Amino acid sequence: MSEVRSTAQWQELDAKHHLHPFTDFKELAEKGSRIIVKADGVYIYDSEGNQILDGMAGLWCCNLGYGRKEIVEAVNQQLTELPFYNNFFQCSHPPSIELSRLLTEIAPEHMNNVFYTNSGSEANDTVIRMIHRYWDLLEQPERKTIIARKNGYHGSTIAAGSLGGMNGMHKQYATLPGIVHIDQPYWFGEGGDTDPAEFGVQVARQLEAKIDELGADKVAAFIAEPIQGAGGVIVPPESYWPEISRICEEKGILLVCDEVICGFGRTGEWFGSTYYGAKPDLMPFAKGVTNGYQPLGGVMVSDRVADVLKSKGGEFTHGFTYSGHPAACAAAIATIKSLQEGKHIERVREETGPYLQKRWAELAEHPLVGETRGVGFLAALELVKDKTTRERFDDDCTAGAICRDACTESGLVMRAVGDMMVVAPPLTLTKEQIDELVEKAKKALDITLSKLT
């Protein structure tokens, strides 16, 4: 569909006209972007002909990898039959209805309704609107405060970015009022020598303390990712989620589990909250729902919340032109069916997930690695100067940037989050490809070490 151009020509046009997300525009223009031209299976290919193992499944989303003809055909057929119609004006269409039914089959049994958006950011904007509407309908309009976590990520719109706890983002705009943050369950970076189980409970109880400080009658909800993705694959201690669940239930506030990254099989369960035994009231999702082939997000809504929204009446003045877009819904239906029929999630849970974690843990022996951690097909490692003290190389995350580039040089996409390196590969990875991923990661670590010492 595109013109035939050289890498240099593509880079020149890109620098001249294209503003990339989360990018230093000046730096990229000087360096030149990497031009990705095709993808197949678990590999991407750049304009120079290099094959690269995609250790990030696109952007945490291509859970089934690339070249999925069944999804392409489903979208193509839907575009032929009904390319677009909206869900406003008391209208609906078969793809959005069918997907709604399918989602409620795989979601926790207490979640039987869904509201559609176009992205995870919009899903979390919707969460705020829905939380406020819920408490207004219950005649408790003073319940407006939402508690979130430092270093959590819930999207990049003003509302979703305010929910997130990324200081670097907050410095660039005025955040919304009514959102407060507590600490994350980051044992390696913030737990010190504390027993992990004890640390998990301590951090969870910050939620209880914050509710008591603000007043339970003012607090609407707590939102968190089951495992923080963009924050560095922060895997909470096993003691954390049971305590969070207890506090939300006892204090009577809504629990929101952000499943944008963890959803659709990444932990070896359909949803991360299921992995941890949590029972969310609202569950925003996106990314893996369409395997990244079409933009689609949404919010799974519990019976507790949906019953109030439905029974109390009155218009919910919120929505998007493309809410439940027919082609996007068709992609999601095909994706979910492929995940089911191929038993990909079961394989991650029982076979390839444990194997990835076993091989990944071997990287802890490397001189640069202070910790390895992960669940299912999510994993991270910490780059340190000193394993004993956990000292970093500097405050500019130099080690992570060097390692990220070394990964690409080694034929692997691995993301740097500060001086943490994270992977979230397609769920279709074979054991042989897991071996390839780990060996390429080790090669990149060796290159990084040589450049830092």
Side-chain angles (χ1 to χ4, degrees), residues 376-412:
F377 264 41
L378 281 167
L381 57 82
E382 299 270 356
L383 300 178
V384 294
K385 185 176 183 179
D386 187 305
K387 284 175 172 279
T388 303
T389 63
R390 304 177 187 177
E391 178 190 358
R392 306 287 183 179
F393 281 88
D394 55 39
D395 294 331
D396 297 324
C397 305
T398 301
I402 292 173
C403 190
R404 177 198 61 213
D405 293 343
C407 286
T408 306
E409 181 183 333
S410 304
L412 171 66

Side-chain angles (χ1 to χ4, degrees), residues 21-322:
F22 283 86
T23 296
D24 181 326
F25 305 134
K26 183 176 183 293
E27 179 185 58
L28 182 61
E30 294 170 351
K31 181 179 181 180
S33 53
R34 181 172 296 105
I35 310 300
I36 306 302
V37 296
K38 67 176 183 177
D40 184 53
V42 298
Y43 299 97
I44 58 174
Y45 299 82
D46 67 20
S47 54
E48 297 296 302
N50 296 305
Q51 175 181 283
I52 306 169
L53 176 60
D54 186 4
M56 283 305 301
L59 195 59
W60 320 85
C61 54
C62 297
N63 290 4
L64 287 166
Y66 303 99
R68 305 302 301 202
K69 292 181 180 179
E70 70 275 21
I71 305 176
V72 174
E73 290 169 359
V75 172
N76 183 61
Q77 181 179 347
Q78 186 57 53
L79 288 172
T80 301
E81 294 177 0
L82 179 68
F84 173 75
Y85 201 69
N86 63 76
N87 284 295
F88 288 58
F89 317 129
Q90 301 182 356
C91 291
S92 194
H93 48 69
S96 62
I97 298 170
E98 179 63 21
L99 177 59
S100 300
R101 180 196 66 80
L102 198 54
L103 283 167
T104 59
E105 285 186 359
I106 63 173
E109 62 180 13
H110 69 290
M111 307 195 101
N112 292 291
N113 288 269
V114 58
F115 188 101
Y116 292 111
T117 68
N118 307 300
S119 67
S121 295
E122 289 179 1
N124 280 309
D125 285 15
T126 299
V127 160
I128 296 175
R129 293 288 304 276
M130 201 167 278
I131 287 170
H132 289 181
R133 178 64 173 163
Y134 171 81
W135 289 114
D136 284 349
L137 289 172
L138 289 180
E139 299 181 356
Q140 298 181 56
E142 68 281 358
R143 281 187 181 257
K144 287 289 190 291
T145 301
I146 299 174
I147 301 173
R149 295 192 303 208
K150 298 173 185 176
N151 197 40
Y153 185 80
H154 301 292
S156 61
T157 57
I158 294 291
S162 298
L163 282 177
M166 301 279 184
N167 290 333
M169 293 175 64
H170 292 175
K171 290 177 181 178
Q172 295 189 3
Y173 65 94
T175 58
L176 294 182
I179 298 170
V180 299
H181 297 85
I182 59 174
D183 287 343
Q184 60 182 330
Y186 179 24
W187 179 80
F188 181 83
E190 299 171 6
D193 297 322
T194 308
D195 174 74
E198 180 182 343
F199 175 74
V201 171
Q202 288 176 355
V203 177
R205 287 181 180 170
Q206 286 189 25
L207 172 61
E208 192 166 40
K210 183 61 67 174
I211 294 171
D212 291 342
E213 174 192 332
L214 298 170
D217 60 335
K218 300 292 191 299
V219 178
F222 173 66
I223 183 170
E225 304 154 84
I227 296 170
Q228 287 158 254
V233 183
I234 307 300
V235 180
E238 293 296 325
S239 59
Y240 180 79
W241 274 106
E243 190 69 2
I244 288 291
S245 297
R246 175 194 68 79
I247 293 165
C248 288
E249 184 174 354
E250 289 184 5
K251 297 296 184 179
I253 69 170
L254 297 176
L255 173 61
V256 184
C257 289
D258 184 337
E259 296 280 2
V260 171
I261 285 175
C262 291
F264 304 98
R266 194 140 293 281
T267 63
E269 300 288 348
W270 278 102
F271 298 99
S273 52
T274 304
Y275 177 85
Y276 284 110
K279 189 177 179 180
D281 295 293
L282 297 167
M283 203 164 68
F285 65 87
K287 293 191 183 291
V289 68
T290 65
N291 200 48
Y293 281 33
Q294 289 281 294
L296 180 71
V299 183
M300 296 300 304
V301 183
S302 68
D303 297 338
R304 169 189 178 183
V305 174
D307 289 349
V308 170
L309 297 177
K310 289 180 173 182
S311 66
K312 296 293 185 179
E315 181 180 359
F316 182 46
T317 57
H318 177 70
F320 307 95
T321 300
Y322 301 114

